[in-house]
């Protein structure tokens, strides 16, 4: 039995017409509410501040425990980690807005940082790489901090006469 002229006989052409790669199930995600985005931007700012705080404390500790060149190697990696975290945050903020771009820029940052550290004689790979990973430690610490500590007393406590 021959296929009808209106039917698709090429499975690839059929799949391409039915599949829209940038959107799940061919539908746009609803726009995020202003409150949700404000909450996300506050979280993003808190994570960046936590990462910068960790980087400063660890930089000073490495400088005291080892030497200034090793501490500067760490600081180079920590700056790369902060840039990576910022790029990741922008990518997460764009989810659902039709951009189906992969994280190749973030991957290039990591690869470039490691390549520069291995090729440049003044840099050491281990402090640079550990500096880069500081953002992960800050994320874990921030997550534990918010999970263990209760909400602030102003949020959880209401005066008896107020509703």
């Amino acid at each position: 039995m021959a296929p009808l002229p209106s039917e698709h006989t090429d499975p690839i052409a059929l799949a391409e017409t039915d599949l829209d790669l940038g959107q799940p199930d061919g539908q746009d995600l609803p726009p995020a509410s202003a409150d949700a985005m404000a909450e996300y931007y506050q979280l993003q700012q808190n994570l960046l501040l936590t990462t910068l705080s960790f980087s400063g404390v660890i930089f000073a500790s490495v400088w005291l425990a080892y030497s200034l060149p090793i501490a500067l190697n760490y600081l180079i990696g920590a700056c790369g980690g902060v840039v990576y975290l910022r790029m990741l945050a922008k990518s997460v903020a764009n989810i659902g807005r039709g951009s189906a771009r992969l994280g190749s820029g973030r991957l290039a940052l990591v690869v470039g940082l490691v390549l520069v550290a291995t090729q440049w004689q003044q840099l050491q790979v281990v402090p640079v790489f550990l500096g880069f990973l500081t953002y992960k430690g800050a994320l874990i610490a921030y997550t534990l901090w918010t999970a263990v500590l209760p909400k602030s007393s102003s949020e959880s406590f209401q005066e008896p006469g107020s509703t």
Side-chain angles (χ1 to χ4, degrees):
M1 182 161 130
L4 297 174
S6 63
E7 292 181 343
H8 288 286
T9 56
D10 184 13
I12 294 174
L14 180 62
E16 288 174 351
T17 58
D18 290 343
L19 181 62
D20 188 3
L21 296 177
Q23 302 154 350
D25 296 328
Q27 301 291 324
D28 280 333
L29 293 176
S33 68
D35 291 339
M37 288 309 291
E39 186 178 336
Y40 171 72
Y41 290 131
Q42 181 65 39
L43 171 66
Q44 180 180 343
Q45 183 180 9
N46 289 343
L47 290 175
L48 282 172
L49 289 175
T50 303
T51 303
L52 289 172
S53 301
F54 269 50
S55 298
V57 168
I58 295 172
F59 170 74
S61 301
V62 170
W63 188 0
L64 292 173
Y66 294 100
S67 66
L68 181 60
I70 292 176
L72 290 174
N73 283 317
Y74 167 81
L75 190 61
I76 290 170
C79 289
V82 168
V83 170
Y84 181 88
L85 183 61
R86 183 76 179 126
M87 291 169 71
L88 183 62
K90 283 185 178 182
S91 176
V92 168
N94 288 331
I95 289 177
R97 295 189 180 156
S99 64
R101 224 182 68 180
L102 295 176
S104 61
R106 294 188 312 269
L107 180 62
L109 176 71
V110 176
V111 170
L113 192 62
V114 171
L115 281 176
V116 167
T118 58
Q119 299 301 316
W120 201 0
Q121 297 300 321
Q122 288 82 15
L123 295 180
Q124 297 176 5
V125 177
V126 173
V128 170
F129 186 68
L130 292 176
F132 177 78
L133 293 179
T134 301
Y135 83 94
K136 288 188 179 262
L139 287 172
I140 291 169
Y142 182 81
T143 302
L144 292 175
W145 181 268
T146 56
V148 170
L149 291 181
K151 300 279 184 190
S152 67
S153 60
S154 62
E155 292 177 5
S156 61
F157 177 75
Q158 291 183 348
E159 293 183 17
S162 67
T163 55

